[in-house]
Amino acid sequence: MDDGIHIEGLSKRYGEGDTAVDALKEVNMRIAPGEVVGLVGPSGSGKTTLLKCLGAVIEPTRGRMTLGGEVIYDSAQGGWKTPDLRALRRDRIGFIFQAPYLIPFLDVTDNVALLPMLAGRANADSRTRALDLLQALDVAHRARARPSELSGGEQQRVSIARALANQPPVILADEPTAPLDSERALAVVRILNQMASQYQTAIIVVTHDEKIIPTFKRIYHIRDGRTVEEAGEGRDIP
Amino acid sequence: MISLAGRDILHSWGKFVLTGVGLGLLIGATLTMAGVYRGMVDDARVLLTNSGADIWVVQKDTQGPYAESSSIRDDVYRGLLGMPGVAQAANVTYLTMQVRHGARESRSMVVGFEPGQPGEPGYLVAGRRLLRGHFEAIADVKTGFKLGERIRIRRHEYQVVGLTRRMVSSGGDPMVFIPLKDAQEAQFLKDNDAIVADRARTAANPALNRPGVPGLLDAVTASQTINHSVNAVLVKVGAGDTAESVAREIRRWKHLQAYTREQMEEILIAKLIATSARQIGMFLAILTVVSAAIVAFIIYTMTLGKIREIAVLKLIGTRNRTIAGMILQQALGLGLIGFIVGKISATLWAPAFPKYVLLETADAMRALVVVMVVCALASTLAIRAALKVDPATAIGG
């Protein structure tokens, strides 16, 4: 059983014939539950394509993906294991975006509680779960506020809470510190590490951010669609 | 599950309410147009009811007195009174003209009637009935005339002694009731210059001015200055007889046209105001299309403004039908706000219209259904755009 994330020989080709572009070429990754790894690479290297494949929003051309011990995609066995990719994303994958992209017309609690509600949990249970997460992320005092009333750092913490709301085995974070200053960026990484450890969630952080790259213990470099794993500095975050 | 549409409306209620008010004014105009038509129909019915007649006897081969001009001799009613089934018969004249009051004028329908007979206004809201044989008038309140005021009709002045309500012509002109003899004179009276010219013309005609026949010219001249015409005779049918059977006998024996209440209503509503009804129908159709276009545009624009949020919602697992439901509910919410504003607006401004505007609850209910259907249809464009949003756009900036 492979918990966390396990990717084997993942490839993605856009187009056909002479115009075909191989965005991912035989990518292999393995991230354990509770681990936070960085995915680093220049623009056009394939980071976003890899994230979209992992996020079940585009279909890889070849390979195998396992999330939380469950094979979700295997090209040798017909591709996606479930036809309901929407439910797969909702229940088993958390997303953190470059901008928080909170729903502006919902308050902080409901932004977080929306996911469990979409999964069919009762409103009261969902809100209790949301408040627990907000407490853990130290933004419970803003529970009734609208996203527009929060600072950038608070918004990003709420988006982390939303990603954790359905207790997914995997969180995909797409440049989550891009709009933040050094102090807040490092605070977000610290929180991600805490949450990964506390909820045993595997987290992939796609980033360009030089401030946070030294904090990862493991980093996957991606270039021209291929990944290379290397040990990170794993610097302590003050 | 929380109501995403409700939360969005509450979040941006100012935008929603302002848009709803704009749409509501348009819906209010639509309801008012329908009310104008209903008012015309109701005016026609009230006109017939208040005349107190069961049968309208008019010139043969005409649809008078409201739809076409009709002229019959004023002694015809005597013959009608002798017919079986006729309880009352009275002459009336109708003439639409400018009635002067001081420096201002009011376009009115001047009705000549005989007090106590069909054609007399059914009720007064102020003042009294006509007591003198000449130069007294009862006016509809819409003329703006007050009790005791003096108004000028042609060459004579009349004192307003009574006021009535809802007495207007099929064209919406308020009525002024005066004694029949005065009305006949007003309808056919010529000015002094015309009388002098007519007399000279008659005198110059050797056939009418024969030297060997003294008194002929005077007799001819006198006959030219007296008028014995009326526009219609209103008949009340006695108990035990039907209007149709009496009208049939009048048509058969008197060689006149006789219309029952139903036939007269048909003439007024189906013929006289048919063009206006079609005109209003066109306006209603255009306003409906414009409202639909506005709702579609607003909802579409609002949806485009939320594309990123919709992409995120789809990415985190929101079903298409939840997103479609959110947009549909917003469109319906906008329609509901618009309808409420429209209904209130139409109710407030209807009394200010110069013609009677009748806002019927059934019309309002029909309008609500149409507004909701139009809003639902208008939202399809936005729903289509939202469902096309690729959740992948939420990833990767």
Side-chain angles (χ1 to χ4, degrees):
Chain A
M1 207 58 152
D2 293 314
D3 282 349
I5 307 170
H6 186 195
I7 299 168
E8 296 169 87
L10 196 74
S11 300
K12 174 64 184 174
R13 170 174 287 190
Y14 290 110
E16 288 176 357
D18 294 344
T19 57
V21 175
D22 288 313
L24 296 177
K25 297 167 190 164
E26 300 289 328
V27 170
N28 296 299
M29 292 172 83
R30 184 185 288 270
I31 301 147
E35 189 182 14
V36 179
V37 299
L39 180 62
V40 180
S43 293
S45 59
K47 300 189 300 291
T48 302
T49 301
L50 177 56
L51 221 52
K52 286 177 179 175
C53 289
L54 280 168
V57 288
I58 60 171
E59 184 169 359
T61 310
R62 204 168 54 249
R64 189 169 190 268
M65 293 191 293
T66 306
L67 292 188
E70 192 179 315
V71 177
I72 61 162
Y73 179 85
D74 190 343
S75 59
Q77 291 184 18
W80 296 109
K81 291 291 173 185
T82 171
D84 191 356
L85 298 180
R86 197 182 299 271
L88 173 72
R89 291 197 298 267
R90 184 188 63 211
D91 300 336
R92 302 189 60 76
I93 306 167
F95 293 93
I96 301 169
F97 309 102
Q98 186 170 340
Y101 296 144
L102 299 173
I103 308 301
F105 49 82
L106 298 179
D107 64 22
V108 164
T109 308
D110 284 342
N111 258 287
V112 179
L114 181 62
L115 262 97
M117 287 178 190
L118 289 171
R121 285 177 71 168
N123 286 8
D125 287 352
S126 302
R127 289 201 174 100
T128 306
R129 165 83 181 148
L131 285 170
D132 288 346
L133 285 166
L134 293 172
Q135 194 81 49
L137 286 154
D138 202 21
V139 274
H141 61 290
R142 308 306 308 271
R144 304 309 303 170
R146 301 271 172 199
S148 58
E149 296 163 4
L150 305 180
S151 68
E154 285 174 330
Q155 287 186 24
Q156 202 55 291
R157 275 185 278 166
V158 175
S159 76
I160 294 169
R162 178 175 65 184
L164 288 161
N166 277 341
Q167 294 174 288
V170 173
I171 287 179
L172 307 175
D174 182 18
E175 303 198 38
T177 60
L180 304 176
D181 57 34
S182 296
E183 193 181 333
R184 289 200 176 94
L186 290 170
V188 165
V189 178
R190 187 175 59 235
I191 291 166
L192 288 176
N193 278 297
Q194 282 171 2
M195 294 298 118
S197 169
Q198 188 173 339
Y199 295 102
Q200 285 302 292
T201 302
I203 300 178
I204 298 178
V205 179
V206 172
T207 188
H208 282 116
D209 193 341
E210 297 294 337
K211 304 184 290 287
I212 65 165
I213 290 173
T215 66
F216 298 117
K217 289 182 181 143
R218 268 200 316 138
I219 295 174
Y220 283 94
H221 285 276
I222 185 164
R223 184 180 291 274
D224 298 331
R226 294 183 193 280
T227 49
V228 178
E229 182 190 341
E230 67 176 41
E233 295 176 38
R235 267 189 218 161
D236 287 337
I237 301 166
Chain B
M1 182 65 192
I2 50 180
S3 163
L4 294 175
R7 294 299 179 87
D8 193 15
I9 290 172
L10 284 176
H11 175 66
S12 45
W13 66 270
K15 188 165 66 178
F16 256 88
V17 167
L18 277 178
T19 310
V21 166
L23 180 65
L25 294 176
L26 207 57
I27 293 170
T30 310
L31 287 173
T32 307
M33 292 303 288
V36 166
Y37 170 71
R38 295 287 180 205
M40 287 165 69
V41 171
D42 198 60
D43 276 348
R45 292 197 173 120
V46 170
L47 171 67
L48 299 180
T49 302
N50 287 348
S51 69
D54 297 319
I55 298 170
W56 284 256
V57 181
V58 297
Q59 183 182 338
K60 192 170 171 58
D61 299 327
T62 72
Q63 298 190 338
Y66 310 116
E68 291 178 3
S69 71
S70 155
S71 179
I72 56 177
R73 301 297 286 181
D74 63 3
D75 56 1
V76 165
Y77 82 99
R78 290 200 188 93
L80 292 174
L81 278 172
M83 291 187 70
V86 175
Q88 280 182 293
N91 291 322
V92 283
T93 62
Y94 298 99
L95 175 64
T96 300
M97 60 184 293
Q98 298 296 116
V99 175
R100 276 173 286 162
H101 171 241
R104 62 192 175 85
E105 289 185 344
S106 165
R107 183 154 188 84
S108 307
M109 177 179 262
V110 175
V111 182
F113 73 103
E114 294 172 283
Q117 297 290 327
E120 185 176 26
Y123 61 95
L124 300 180
V125 292
R128 60 167 174 79
R129 298 186 176 280
L130 303 190
L131 297 177
R132 292 166 56 194
H134 293 284
F135 310 128
E136 286 188 342
I138 294 169
D140 185 275
V141 289
K142 284 237 169 183
T143 57
F145 303 145
K146 305 279 186 296
L147 281 180
E149 279 184 346
R150 301 191 73 79
I151 58 174
R152 191 171 185 84
I153 297 172
R154 292 273 195 262
R155 290 161 56 183
H156 298 299
E157 284 201 338
Y158 294 77
Q159 184 174 13
V160 178
V161 297
L163 294 175
T164 185
R165 192 189 294 279
R166 292 298 314 281
M167 295 295 288
V168 296
S169 72
S170 55
D173 301 319
M175 288 180 166
V176 175
F177 296 85
I178 60 174
L180 180 69
K181 291 291 175 196
D182 289 354
Q184 283 177 293
E185 197 181 304
Q187 197 169 134
F188 303 103
L189 186 69
K190 294 170 183 168
D191 60 75
N192 289 341
D193 291 340
I195 291 169
V196 168
D198 272 354
R199 282 178 184 166
R201 246 181 240 116
T202 307
N205 187 336
L208 303 175
N209 189 9
R210 295 181 199 165
V213 187
L216 174 63
L217 179 63
D218 292 338
V220 170
T221 305
S223 73
Q224 286 176 339
T225 55
I226 301 168
N227 184 272
H228 293 288
S229 293
V230 291
N231 299 122
V233 176
L234 303 184
V235 171
K236 261 196 104 59
V237 175
D241 288 289
T242 64
E244 182 48 49
S245 65
V246 175
R248 194 166 49 241
E249 291 303 303
I250 294 171
R251 284 193 286 268
R252 182 176 178 190
W253 297 109
K254 294 295 177 185
H255 304 292
L256 294 166
Q257 194 68 48
Y259 293 110
T260 62
R261 161 76 191 237
E262 289 71 31
Q263 290 167 330
M264 193 48 87
E265 202 169 300
E266 172 77 8
I267 289 170
L268 279 174
I269 294 167
K271 294 179 181 173
L272 202 57
I273 61 174
T275 310
S276 304
R278 281 199 296 276
Q279 185 100 334
I280 288 168
M282 277 300 294
F283 262 116
L284 286 176
I286 290 168
L287 285 172
T288 306
V289 171
V290 170
S291 303
I294 288 175
V295 173
F297 176 73
I298 291 166
I299 294 292
Y300 185 69
T301 310
M302 285 165 70
T303 304
L304 288 189
K306 289 196 288 269
I307 284 295
R308 177 67 80 171
E309 285 81 5
I310 288 170
V312 171
L313 282 170
K314 290 175 90 167
L315 184 69
I316 64 177
T318 309
R319 288 193 181 93
N320 277 344
R321 74 161 180 265
T322 306
I323 292 167
M326 176 178 83
I327 296 167
L328 177 65
Q329 285 170 42
Q330 286 179 342
L332 294 179
L334 200 58
L336 193 62
I337 294 171
F339 174 77
I340 292 167
V341 171
K343 181 76 180 86
I344 293 170
S345 312
T347 306
L348 289 177
W349 68 44
F353 275 68
K355 286 176 80 168
Y356 181 54
V357 178
L358 176 61
L359 301 171
E360 290 191 340
T361 309
D363 282 345
M365 290 301 103
R366 271 192 285 274
L368 177 60
V369 172
V370 170
V371 166
M372 289 308 180
V373 170
V374 164
C375 285
L377 290 176
S379 70
T380 53
L381 200 65
I383 289 172
R384 231 171 97 93
L387 297 187
K388 273 188 181 171
V389 173
D390 183 357
T393 55
I395 299 175

